[in-house]
Amino acid sequence: MCGIVGYVGAKPALEVVLEGLRRLEYRGYDSAGVALVAGDALFTEKRAGKLAKLDKALSAGTPPAATTGIGHTRWATHGAPNDRNAHPHLGAGGRVAVVHNGIIENFSALRAELESAGQELRSETDTEVAAHLIEAEIDKGADLTTAMRQVCRRLDGAFTLVATTCDDHDQVVAARRNSPLVVGLGEGENFVASDVAAFIEHTREAMELAQDQVVTITGEQVLVTDFAGNPSEGKRFHVDWDIAAAEKSGYDYFMLKEIAEQPQAIADTLLGRFTDDGRLHLDEIRLSDEELRGIDKIIVIACGTAFHAGLLAKYVIEHWTRIPCEVELASEFRYRDPIVDRDTMVIAISQSGETMDTLMALRHAREQRAKVLAISNTNGSTIPRESDAVLYTRAGPEIAVASTKAFLTQIVACHLIALYLAQVRGLKYGDEITAILRQLERIPSAVAEVLGTVEPVRQLARELGDVETVLFLGRHVGYPVALEGALKLKELAYMHAEGFAAGELKHGPIALIEEGVPVFVIVPPKGRGVLHDKMVSNIAEIRARGARTIVLAEQGDEAVAPYADELIALPAVPTLLQPLVATVPLQVFSCEMATVRGHDVDQPRNLAKSVTVE
Ligand code: F6R
């Protein structure tokens, strides 16, 4: 939520900052803006709307040459998404420029204080308050870094702030609390940004900052302190993906590229995680075998698509470990006084590792001494850093707002964790685990097979472009897949889409069925006996009431054919792994539906990739 960049070096700052914003635009696209330190003044330009609008405004003018600059792409929280509320915001005298990601919770009181001192604020944002306060500290004699620290100590809430000033040409100062901030370490140049994607073109050496740290960058130096001014250190790391991973590489949309990358993402997530004799070793899980054996309850917390991966985790965890497992939306968990103690393991699933609701839920769990294990796709992000242990998915950067490859790898990670627990607790014989791991190893080629057969799904989306409602039905592990199919369609095609547990059909949802309503049905593998047969009856029931049935079923499933208006054949895989193949056609359908309806697939309205506010 909100992308921020800062640069100091020898290159034209405007180009570096704009390129960084382009790579961060997935974080928010309500407005964009830049500030450059030019001689004795600050130059700013900002526009409501996507980055292209800012580009246009800059091309129409003559921005000054500068080698220090900051930039912002916004997901609006305080104040409408217009030019006035776009970042950067300036202090009262226009000598300090600030960009911000997060929410300053006590901003009303601080604003009232500034107004009663006669300062006039030009926007409705919480950010402008910080800009005024920082400039006021400089007026009293502080340098930019000291001013930033003093102001941060007065702020409540979540924030990454990046500031620069024309009083000192060659520095950018940034601070973080509860929001992401990384430093890019270059040769004669340095960067700050919400995400390494912003500077990966210039350097792959980076540093993550911890909670309540301030960093001052110049071309030659990077200085980290805490909010009290004590010397501190960030954690250095090497970014192991290259620029190609952050490019569309010939695809029309990042989402299409990321859907196509799923076989590789799954294979990478499995890579090196089991030994030649078929045993799992998850080195990153920094919990002792004794601790893992002592767990008597598991609670999975997550939001959105990651929550759907969590719903699937329950099936595999309970099946293989017999440990009771609850799954809860992170935003609900935190506020309901859940029963958690030292023998509870909380699994927090988050692609970005920054989702505020999940972060707050995990803190709540840790306060009650639960052990927290994170599943994340982002090295060094806040959620894994604050957890007791982490299992990284290796999907590579996911840039499209709608999650695809991260989802499938989260499911794989849940399988690995469940099997690992079963192994440590002695609930599965080695050869059983080996057999399941071998099935998992075949999934990348099964997903590739599905990807090779999705053209009819695209065709179907083109045909259904005008419908207003699409429903999704599933049973058992097909139910979270139905929920995920509906979520993807809502967020991308802006249409009414709902997922149901098929068994619930007759308890209400069947009333939605009328002539021609498309219903996707995820059918369990043929070998599932009763489960499979009940689903076939459900298809017959909705078809009898006029539904247009689009049936996803295992290849060669003769029983469903008479009731399927459209049949999407899935490779034969074990039931618990079926979501990994069944989700793919639904992703493709939503993507195509959004295109047919003329929407921006990668940047759906009102959304942002990383939800860093509650
Ligand atoms: C939907 C989607 C979101 C995210 C959710 C959690 O396509 O991407 O629902 O899954 O915002 O995000 P993370 O996994 O980063 O915590």
Short mmCIF file of all heavy atoms in Angstrom, two decimals, residues 1-6 14 16-22 24-25 27-35 45-52 54 58 69-78 82-83 85-89 97-103 125-127 160-162 192-194 612:
data_model
loop_
_atom_site.label_atom_id
_atom_site.label_comp_id
_atom_site.label_asym_id
_atom_site.label_seq_id
_atom_site.Cartn_x
_atom_site.Cartn_y
_atom_site.Cartn_z
N MET A 1 0.84 -1.19 0.00
CA MET A 1 0.00 0.00 0.00
C MET A 1 0.87 1.23 0.00
O MET A 1 1.59 1.47 0.95
CB MET A 1 -0.82 -0.02 1.26
CG MET A 1 -2.22 0.30 0.95
SD MET A 1 -3.37 -0.48 2.01
CE MET A 1 -4.36 -1.30 0.83
N CYS A 2 0.87 1.98 -1.08
CA CYS A 2 1.76 3.10 -1.32
C CYS A 2 3.17 2.58 -1.59
O CYS A 2 3.69 1.74 -0.86
CB CYS A 2 1.83 4.10 -0.19
SG CYS A 2 0.26 4.90 0.12
N GLY A 3 3.75 3.06 -2.66
CA GLY A 3 5.14 2.74 -2.98
C GLY A 3 5.97 3.99 -2.78
O GLY A 3 5.56 5.07 -3.19
N ILE A 4 7.12 3.84 -2.13
CA ILE A 4 7.95 5.03 -1.92
C ILE A 4 9.39 4.75 -2.31
O ILE A 4 9.88 3.63 -2.15
CB ILE A 4 7.88 5.54 -0.47
CG1 ILE A 4 8.11 4.43 0.51
CG2 ILE A 4 6.57 6.22 -0.18
CD1 ILE A 4 7.97 4.88 1.93
N VAL A 5 10.03 5.75 -2.88
CA VAL A 5 11.41 5.63 -3.35
C VAL A 5 12.18 6.87 -2.96
O VAL A 5 11.63 7.98 -2.98
CB VAL A 5 11.48 5.60 -4.91
CG1 VAL A 5 12.85 5.12 -5.37
CG2 VAL A 5 10.42 4.77 -5.52
N GLY A 6 13.45 6.71 -2.64
CA GLY A 6 14.34 7.85 -2.44
C GLY A 6 15.68 7.53 -3.06
O GLY A 6 16.12 6.36 -3.04
N LEU A 14 15.46 12.10 -11.25
CA LEU A 14 14.08 11.97 -11.74
C LEU A 14 13.89 10.64 -12.45
O LEU A 14 12.93 9.91 -12.20
CB LEU A 14 13.73 13.15 -12.68
CG LEU A 14 12.31 13.14 -13.21
CD1 LEU A 14 11.29 13.20 -12.08
CD2 LEU A 14 12.08 14.30 -14.18
N VAL A 16 15.66 7.88 -12.13
CA VAL A 16 15.78 6.74 -11.19
C VAL A 16 14.48 6.60 -10.37
O VAL A 16 13.94 5.50 -10.21
CB VAL A 16 16.99 6.95 -10.24
CG1 VAL A 16 17.05 5.83 -9.21
CG2 VAL A 16 18.28 7.02 -11.03
N VAL A 17 13.98 7.74 -9.92
CA VAL A 17 12.79 7.69 -9.06
C VAL A 17 11.57 7.25 -9.87
O VAL A 17 10.79 6.40 -9.42
CB VAL A 17 12.57 9.07 -8.39
CG1 VAL A 17 11.20 9.15 -7.74
CG2 VAL A 17 13.66 9.34 -7.35
N LEU A 18 11.43 7.78 -11.08
CA LEU A 18 10.26 7.38 -11.89
C LEU A 18 10.30 5.90 -12.24
O LEU A 18 9.28 5.22 -12.20
CB LEU A 18 10.21 8.21 -13.18
CG LEU A 18 9.65 9.63 -13.04
CD1 LEU A 18 9.69 10.36 -14.37
CD2 LEU A 18 8.22 9.63 -12.50
N GLU A 19 11.48 5.40 -12.56
CA GLU A 19 11.60 3.98 -12.89
C GLU A 19 11.26 3.15 -11.65
O GLU A 19 10.57 2.13 -11.74
CB GLU A 19 13.03 3.70 -13.38
CG GLU A 19 13.23 2.34 -14.04
CD GLU A 19 12.17 2.00 -15.08
OE1 GLU A 19 11.74 2.89 -15.83
OE2 GLU A 19 11.74 0.82 -15.10
N GLY A 20 11.72 3.59 -10.50
CA GLY A 20 11.39 2.90 -9.25
C GLY A 20 9.89 2.90 -9.02
O GLY A 20 9.30 1.88 -8.65
N LEU A 21 9.25 4.04 -9.25
CA LEU A 21 7.80 4.12 -9.04
C LEU A 21 7.06 3.18 -10.00
O LEU A 21 6.06 2.57 -9.64
CB LEU A 21 7.31 5.56 -9.23
CG LEU A 21 7.75 6.57 -8.17
CD1 LEU A 21 7.15 7.94 -8.47
CD2 LEU A 21 7.33 6.13 -6.77
N ARG A 22 7.59 3.09 -11.22
CA ARG A 22 6.94 2.19 -12.19
C ARG A 22 6.91 0.76 -11.64
O ARG A 22 5.94 0.05 -11.77
CB ARG A 22 7.74 2.22 -13.51
CG ARG A 22 6.87 2.47 -14.73
CD ARG A 22 7.67 2.55 -16.01
NE ARG A 22 8.64 3.63 -16.04
CZ ARG A 22 8.34 4.91 -16.18
NH1 ARG A 22 7.09 5.28 -16.33
NH2 ARG A 22 9.29 5.83 -16.18
N LEU A 24 6.92 -0.02 -8.57
CA LEU A 24 6.16 -0.10 -7.30
C LEU A 24 4.70 0.25 -7.49
O LEU A 24 3.94 0.27 -6.52
CB LEU A 24 6.77 0.87 -6.28
CG LEU A 24 8.18 0.59 -5.80
CD1 LEU A 24 8.57 1.57 -4.70
CD2 LEU A 24 8.31 -0.83 -5.26
N GLU A 25 4.32 0.53 -8.72
CA GLU A 25 2.96 1.05 -8.91
C GLU A 25 1.90 0.04 -8.46
O GLU A 25 0.78 0.41 -8.12
CB GLU A 25 2.73 1.48 -10.37
CG GLU A 25 1.61 2.52 -10.46
CD GLU A 25 1.30 2.97 -11.89
OE1 GLU A 25 1.85 2.40 -12.84
OE2 GLU A 25 0.48 3.89 -12.01
N ARG A 27 1.64 -1.22 -5.81
CA ARG A 27 1.33 -0.98 -4.39
C ARG A 27 0.24 0.07 -4.19
O ARG A 27 -0.21 0.29 -3.06
CB ARG A 27 2.58 -0.54 -3.64
CG ARG A 27 3.71 -1.55 -3.69
CD ARG A 27 4.89 -1.06 -2.92
NE ARG A 27 4.63 -1.05 -1.51
CZ ARG A 27 4.86 -2.05 -0.67
NH1 ARG A 27 5.37 -3.16 -1.13
NH2 ARG A 27 4.58 -1.94 0.59
N GLY A 28 -0.12 0.76 -5.26
CA GLY A 28 -1.15 1.80 -5.16
C GLY A 28 -1.06 2.68 -6.39
O GLY A 28 0.04 2.92 -6.87
N TYR A 29 -2.22 3.09 -6.88
CA TYR A 29 -2.18 3.87 -8.13
C TYR A 29 -3.26 4.93 -8.14
O TYR A 29 -3.86 5.22 -9.15
CB TYR A 29 -2.25 2.95 -9.36
CG TYR A 29 -2.99 1.65 -9.13
CD1 TYR A 29 -4.38 1.57 -9.25
CD2 TYR A 29 -2.30 0.51 -8.75
CE1 TYR A 29 -5.05 0.37 -9.03
CE2 TYR A 29 -2.97 -0.69 -8.51
CZ TYR A 29 -4.34 -0.75 -8.66
OH TYR A 29 -5.00 -1.93 -8.43
N ASP A 30 -3.53 5.51 -6.95
CA ASP A 30 -4.49 6.61 -6.86
C ASP A 30 -3.86 7.93 -7.28
O ASP A 30 -4.56 8.84 -7.74
CB ASP A 30 -5.01 6.74 -5.43
CG ASP A 30 -5.98 5.62 -5.07
OD1 ASP A 30 -6.61 5.09 -6.01
OD2 ASP A 30 -6.11 5.29 -3.90
N SER A 31 -2.56 8.08 -7.04
CA SER A 31 -1.85 9.29 -7.48
C SER A 31 -0.36 8.99 -7.44
O SER A 31 0.06 7.97 -6.88
CB SER A 31 -2.17 10.48 -6.56
OG SER A 31 -1.63 10.24 -5.27
N ALA A 32 0.41 9.88 -8.05
CA ALA A 32 1.86 9.71 -8.02
C ALA A 32 2.52 11.08 -7.97
O ALA A 32 1.94 12.06 -8.44
CB ALA A 32 2.33 8.95 -9.26
N GLY A 33 3.72 11.13 -7.39
CA GLY A 33 4.41 12.42 -7.31
C GLY A 33 5.88 12.25 -7.03
O GLY A 33 6.33 11.19 -6.58
N VAL A 34 6.64 13.30 -7.34
CA VAL A 34 8.09 13.30 -7.07
C VAL A 34 8.50 14.63 -6.47
O VAL A 34 7.82 15.65 -6.66
CB VAL A 34 8.92 13.10 -8.37
CG1 VAL A 34 8.74 11.71 -8.94
CG2 VAL A 34 8.60 14.14 -9.43
N ALA A 35 9.60 14.63 -5.75
CA ALA A 35 10.24 15.88 -5.31
C ALA A 35 11.72 15.75 -5.61
O ALA A 35 12.32 14.69 -5.37
CB ALA A 35 10.02 16.10 -3.81
N GLU A 45 6.25 17.71 -8.40
CA GLU A 45 5.17 17.53 -9.37
C GLU A 45 4.36 16.35 -8.89
O GLU A 45 4.93 15.33 -8.45
CB GLU A 45 5.76 17.24 -10.75
CG GLU A 45 4.77 17.25 -11.88
CD GLU A 45 4.18 18.63 -12.18
OE1 GLU A 45 4.81 19.42 -12.91
OE2 GLU A 45 3.06 18.89 -11.68
N LYS A 46 3.04 16.45 -8.91
CA LYS A 46 2.22 15.33 -8.46
C LYS A 46 0.87 15.37 -9.16
O LYS A 46 0.36 16.45 -9.46
CB LYS A 46 2.07 15.34 -6.94
CG LYS A 46 1.73 16.69 -6.34
CD LYS A 46 1.98 16.65 -4.84
CE LYS A 46 1.17 17.72 -4.14
NZ LYS A 46 1.13 17.56 -2.71
N ARG A 47 0.33 14.21 -9.41
CA ARG A 47 -0.93 14.13 -10.14
C ARG A 47 -1.79 13.00 -9.60
O ARG A 47 -1.29 11.91 -9.28
CB ARG A 47 -0.66 13.83 -11.62
CG ARG A 47 -0.17 15.02 -12.43
CD ARG A 47 -1.29 16.05 -12.64
NE ARG A 47 -0.86 17.17 -13.46
CZ ARG A 47 -0.20 18.22 -13.02
NH1 ARG A 47 0.14 18.30 -11.75
NH2 ARG A 47 0.13 19.20 -13.84
N ALA A 48 -3.10 13.24 -9.55
CA ALA A 48 -4.03 12.15 -9.24
C ALA A 48 -4.01 11.16 -10.40
O ALA A 48 -3.75 11.56 -11.54
CB ALA A 48 -5.43 12.72 -9.05
N GLY A 49 -4.30 9.90 -10.12
CA GLY A 49 -4.37 8.89 -11.18
C GLY A 49 -3.06 8.13 -11.28
O GLY A 49 -2.18 8.26 -10.43
N LYS A 50 -2.97 7.36 -12.33
CA LYS A 50 -1.80 6.47 -12.48
C LYS A 50 -0.55 7.26 -12.85
O LYS A 50 -0.63 8.43 -13.24
CB LYS A 50 -2.12 5.42 -13.52
CG LYS A 50 -3.23 4.51 -13.05
CD LYS A 50 -3.35 3.27 -13.87
CE LYS A 50 -4.43 2.40 -13.23
NZ LYS A 50 -4.76 1.26 -14.02
N LEU A 51 0.56 6.58 -12.77
CA LEU A 51 1.87 7.19 -13.01
C LEU A 51 1.94 7.88 -14.38
O LEU A 51 2.64 8.89 -14.55
CB LEU A 51 2.93 6.08 -12.91
CG LEU A 51 4.37 6.47 -12.78
CD1 LEU A 51 4.58 7.39 -11.58
CD2 LEU A 51 5.22 5.21 -12.62
N ALA A 52 1.22 7.33 -15.34
CA ALA A 52 1.24 7.91 -16.70
C ALA A 52 0.85 9.39 -16.67
O ALA A 52 1.37 10.19 -17.44
CB ALA A 52 0.30 7.11 -17.59
N LEU A 54 1.38 11.52 -14.23
CA LEU A 54 2.53 12.28 -13.73
C LEU A 54 3.58 12.41 -14.83
O LEU A 54 4.13 13.49 -15.07
CB LEU A 54 3.13 11.56 -12.51
CG LEU A 54 4.42 12.18 -11.95
CD1 LEU A 54 4.13 13.53 -11.30
CD2 LEU A 54 5.08 11.25 -10.94
N LEU A 58 5.11 15.86 -16.30
CA LEU A 58 6.55 16.16 -16.26
C LEU A 58 7.07 16.43 -17.67
O LEU A 58 7.89 17.33 -17.88
CB LEU A 58 7.31 14.97 -15.64
CG LEU A 58 7.16 14.83 -14.12
CD1 LEU A 58 7.59 13.45 -13.65
CD2 LEU A 58 7.98 15.90 -13.38
N GLY A 69 16.40 12.78 -5.01
CA GLY A 69 14.95 12.88 -5.21
C GLY A 69 14.19 11.81 -4.44
O GLY A 69 14.75 10.81 -4.00
N ILE A 70 12.89 12.07 -4.28
CA ILE A 70 12.00 11.08 -3.65
C ILE A 70 10.73 10.97 -4.49
O ILE A 70 10.41 11.89 -5.26
CB ILE A 70 11.65 11.44 -2.17
CG1 ILE A 70 10.90 12.77 -2.09
CG2 ILE A 70 12.90 11.50 -1.32
CD1 ILE A 70 10.42 13.12 -0.67
N GLY A 71 10.02 9.86 -4.36
CA GLY A 71 8.80 9.69 -5.15
C GLY A 71 7.80 8.80 -4.41
O GLY A 71 8.16 8.09 -3.46
N HIS A 72 6.56 8.83 -4.90
CA HIS A 72 5.48 8.15 -4.19
C HIS A 72 4.39 7.73 -5.16
O HIS A 72 4.06 8.45 -6.09
CB HIS A 72 4.89 9.13 -3.18
CG HIS A 72 3.88 8.54 -2.25
ND1 HIS A 72 2.53 8.58 -2.49
CD2 HIS A 72 4.03 7.92 -1.05
CE1 HIS A 72 1.88 8.00 -1.46
NE2 HIS A 72 2.77 7.59 -0.58
N THR A 73 3.86 6.57 -4.96
CA THR A 73 2.66 6.16 -5.68
C THR A 73 1.65 5.75 -4.61
O THR A 73 1.97 5.01 -3.69
CB THR A 73 2.97 5.09 -6.76
OG1 THR A 73 1.76 4.62 -7.27
CG2 THR A 73 3.80 3.95 -6.26
N ARG A 74 0.43 6.31 -4.68
CA ARG A 74 -0.45 6.32 -3.51
C ARG A 74 -1.63 5.37 -3.58
O ARG A 74 -2.23 5.20 -4.64
CB ARG A 74 -0.99 7.76 -3.35
CG ARG A 74 -1.95 7.96 -2.21
CD ARG A 74 -2.28 9.43 -1.97
NE ARG A 74 -3.04 9.61 -0.77
CZ ARG A 74 -4.24 10.21 -0.70
NH1 ARG A 74 -4.79 10.73 -1.79
NH2 ARG A 74 -4.88 10.30 0.45
N TRP A 75 -1.93 4.77 -2.45
CA TRP A 75 -3.23 4.12 -2.23
C TRP A 75 -3.87 4.94 -1.13
O TRP A 75 -3.39 4.96 0.00
CB TRP A 75 -3.04 2.67 -1.81
CG TRP A 75 -4.33 1.90 -1.79
CD1 TRP A 75 -4.92 1.27 -2.84
CD2 TRP A 75 -5.20 1.71 -0.66
NE1 TRP A 75 -6.10 0.69 -2.44
CE2 TRP A 75 -6.30 0.95 -1.11
CE3 TRP A 75 -5.16 2.11 0.67
CZ2 TRP A 75 -7.34 0.57 -0.28
CZ3 TRP A 75 -6.21 1.74 1.50
CH2 TRP A 75 -7.28 0.97 1.02
N ALA A 76 -4.94 5.66 -1.47
CA ALA A 76 -5.46 6.70 -0.58
C ALA A 76 -6.04 6.15 0.72
O ALA A 76 -6.79 5.18 0.70
CB ALA A 76 -6.51 7.50 -1.32
N THR A 77 -5.67 6.75 1.83
CA THR A 77 -6.35 6.46 3.11
C THR A 77 -6.97 7.77 3.60
O THR A 77 -8.18 7.89 3.63
CB THR A 77 -5.38 5.89 4.18
OG1 THR A 77 -4.29 6.76 4.34
CG2 THR A 77 -4.90 4.51 3.81
N HIS A 78 -6.15 8.75 3.94
CA HIS A 78 -6.69 10.01 4.45
C HIS A 78 -6.77 11.01 3.31
O HIS A 78 -5.76 11.48 2.82
CB HIS A 78 -5.80 10.58 5.55
CG HIS A 78 -5.89 9.80 6.82
ND1 HIS A 78 -5.44 8.51 6.92
CD2 HIS A 78 -6.42 10.13 8.02
CE1 HIS A 78 -5.67 8.07 8.14
NE2 HIS A 78 -6.27 9.03 8.83
N ASN A 82 -6.89 13.00 -5.00
CA ASN A 82 -6.80 14.12 -5.95
C ASN A 82 -5.38 14.70 -5.95
O ASN A 82 -4.51 14.24 -5.20
CB ASN A 82 -7.84 15.20 -5.60
CG ASN A 82 -7.71 15.67 -4.16
OD1 ASN A 82 -6.62 15.61 -3.59
ND2 ASN A 82 -8.81 16.10 -3.56
N ASP A 83 -5.15 15.72 -6.77
CA ASP A 83 -3.79 16.30 -6.89
C ASP A 83 -3.30 16.84 -5.55
O ASP A 83 -2.15 16.70 -5.17
CB ASP A 83 -3.78 17.47 -7.89
CG ASP A 83 -3.93 17.00 -9.33
OD1 ASP A 83 -3.92 15.76 -9.56
OD2 ASP A 83 -4.08 17.86 -10.22
N ASN A 85 -4.01 16.01 -2.48
CA ASN A 85 -3.64 15.02 -1.46
C ASN A 85 -2.50 14.11 -1.92
O ASN A 85 -2.02 13.27 -1.14
CB ASN A 85 -4.85 14.18 -1.08
CG ASN A 85 -5.88 14.99 -0.29
OD1 ASN A 85 -5.50 15.90 0.45
ND2 ASN A 85 -7.16 14.69 -0.46
N ALA A 86 -2.11 14.25 -3.20
CA ALA A 86 -1.01 13.40 -3.69
C ALA A 86 0.27 13.77 -2.95
O ALA A 86 0.46 14.91 -2.56
CB ALA A 86 -0.84 13.61 -5.19
N HIS A 87 1.15 12.79 -2.77
CA HIS A 87 2.45 13.05 -2.14
C HIS A 87 3.43 13.43 -3.25
O HIS A 87 3.21 13.04 -4.38
CB HIS A 87 2.98 11.79 -1.45
CG HIS A 87 2.08 11.26 -0.37
ND1 HIS A 87 2.54 10.62 0.74
CD2 HIS A 87 0.72 11.27 -0.24
CE1 HIS A 87 1.54 10.24 1.52
NE2 HIS A 87 0.41 10.62 0.92
N PRO A 88 4.54 14.06 -2.97
CA PRO A 88 5.07 14.51 -1.68
C PRO A 88 4.29 15.69 -1.10
O PRO A 88 3.65 16.45 -1.83
CB PRO A 88 6.50 14.96 -2.01
CG PRO A 88 6.80 14.38 -3.36
CD PRO A 88 5.51 14.23 -4.06
N HIS A 89 4.39 15.80 0.23
CA HIS A 89 3.85 16.96 0.93
C HIS A 89 5.01 17.78 1.47
O HIS A 89 6.06 17.24 1.81
CB HIS A 89 2.92 16.50 2.06
CG HIS A 89 1.67 15.90 1.50
ND1 HIS A 89 0.63 16.65 1.01
CD2 HIS A 89 1.33 14.61 1.29
CE1 HIS A 89 -0.32 15.87 0.55
NE2 HIS A 89 0.08 14.61 0.70
N ALA A 97 10.36 18.02 1.92
CA ALA A 97 9.35 17.22 1.20
C ALA A 97 9.30 15.84 1.83
O ALA A 97 10.34 15.26 2.15
CB ALA A 97 9.71 17.12 -0.27
N VAL A 98 8.07 15.33 1.99
CA VAL A 98 7.90 14.03 2.67
C VAL A 98 6.95 13.14 1.86
O VAL A 98 5.92 13.61 1.36
CB VAL A 98 7.32 14.24 4.09
CG1 VAL A 98 6.97 12.92 4.75
CG2 VAL A 98 8.31 15.01 4.97
N VAL A 99 7.31 11.85 1.76
CA VAL A 99 6.36 10.85 1.26
C VAL A 99 6.16 9.82 2.37
O VAL A 99 7.04 9.63 3.21
CB VAL A 99 6.85 10.17 -0.05
CG1 VAL A 99 6.89 11.16 -1.19
CG2 VAL A 99 8.20 9.50 0.13
N HIS A 100 5.02 9.14 2.32
CA HIS A 100 4.62 8.33 3.48
C HIS A 100 3.80 7.13 3.04
O HIS A 100 2.99 7.22 2.12
CB HIS A 100 3.80 9.28 4.39
CG HIS A 100 3.01 8.60 5.47
ND1 HIS A 100 1.75 9.04 5.83
CD2 HIS A 100 3.29 7.57 6.28
CE1 HIS A 100 1.30 8.29 6.82
NE2 HIS A 100 2.21 7.39 7.10
N ASN A 101 4.02 6.02 3.72
CA ASN A 101 3.17 4.85 3.56
C ASN A 101 2.69 4.46 4.95
O ASN A 101 3.51 4.33 5.85
CB ASN A 101 4.00 3.71 2.93
CG ASN A 101 3.28 2.39 2.93
OD1 ASN A 101 2.04 2.35 2.97
ND2 ASN A 101 4.02 1.30 2.90
N GLY A 102 1.39 4.32 5.12
CA GLY A 102 0.87 3.93 6.44
C GLY A 102 -0.19 4.91 6.91
O GLY A 102 -0.72 5.70 6.13
N ILE A 103 -0.50 4.83 8.20
CA ILE A 103 -1.50 5.75 8.77
C ILE A 103 -0.94 6.29 10.09
O ILE A 103 -0.57 5.52 10.97
CB ILE A 103 -2.84 5.03 9.03
CG1 ILE A 103 -3.48 4.62 7.70
CG2 ILE A 103 -3.78 5.91 9.83
CD1 ILE A 103 -4.80 3.89 7.86
N THR A 125 -4.38 15.18 4.24
CA THR A 125 -3.64 13.96 4.59
C THR A 125 -3.00 14.02 5.98
O THR A 125 -2.72 15.09 6.50
CB THR A 125 -2.50 13.72 3.59
OG1 THR A 125 -1.57 14.80 3.70
CG2 THR A 125 -2.99 13.66 2.16
N ASP A 126 -2.73 12.83 6.49
CA ASP A 126 -1.96 12.73 7.74
C ASP A 126 -0.48 13.02 7.47
O ASP A 126 0.25 13.51 8.33
CB ASP A 126 -2.14 11.33 8.36
CG ASP A 126 -1.94 10.19 7.38
OD1 ASP A 126 -1.90 10.45 6.16
OD2 ASP A 126 -1.82 9.04 7.82
N THR A 127 -0.05 12.76 6.23
CA THR A 127 1.37 12.94 5.87
C THR A 127 1.83 14.38 6.01
O THR A 127 2.94 14.67 6.47
CB THR A 127 1.58 12.49 4.41
OG1 THR A 127 0.98 11.22 4.26
CG2 THR A 127 3.03 12.47 4.03
N THR A 160 6.02 4.46 7.11
CA THR A 160 7.37 4.64 6.58
C THR A 160 7.37 6.05 6.07
O THR A 160 6.47 6.44 5.30
CB THR A 160 7.64 3.67 5.41
OG1 THR A 160 7.46 2.35 5.87
CG2 THR A 160 9.05 3.84 4.91
N LEU A 161 8.32 6.84 6.51
CA LEU A 161 8.42 8.23 6.06
C LEU A 161 9.74 8.39 5.34
O LEU A 161 10.77 7.86 5.80
CB LEU A 161 8.39 9.18 7.26
CG LEU A 161 7.06 9.34 7.99
CD1 LEU A 161 7.26 10.03 9.32
CD2 LEU A 161 6.06 10.13 7.13
N VAL A 162 9.71 9.09 4.23
CA VAL A 162 10.95 9.43 3.53
C VAL A 162 10.94 10.93 3.31
O VAL A 162 9.95 11.48 2.84
CB VAL A 162 11.06 8.67 2.19
CG1 VAL A 162 12.32 9.10 1.44
CG2 VAL A 162 11.08 7.17 2.41
N VAL A 192 16.39 4.24 -0.99
CA VAL A 192 15.45 3.68 -0.02
C VAL A 192 14.16 3.40 -0.79
O VAL A 192 13.84 4.11 -1.74
CB VAL A 192 15.15 4.63 1.18
CG1 VAL A 192 16.33 4.72 2.13
CG2 VAL A 192 14.72 6.00 0.72
N ALA A 193 13.45 2.37 -0.39
CA ALA A 193 12.22 2.03 -1.12
C ALA A 193 11.37 1.09 -0.28
O ALA A 193 11.86 0.49 0.68
CB ALA A 193 12.56 1.37 -2.45
N SER A 194 10.09 0.97 -0.68
CA SER A 194 9.23 0.03 0.01
C SER A 194 9.56 -1.41 -0.37
O SER A 194 9.15 -2.33 0.32
CB SER A 194 7.75 0.23 -0.33
OG SER A 194 7.48 1.48 -0.78
N THR A 612 -0.98 -2.60 3.88
CA THR A 612 -0.19 -2.30 5.07
C THR A 612 -0.91 -1.38 6.05
O THR A 612 -0.30 -0.80 6.92
CB THR A 612 1.17 -1.68 4.67
OG1 THR A 612 0.92 -0.57 3.81
CG2 THR A 612 2.05 -2.67 3.95
#
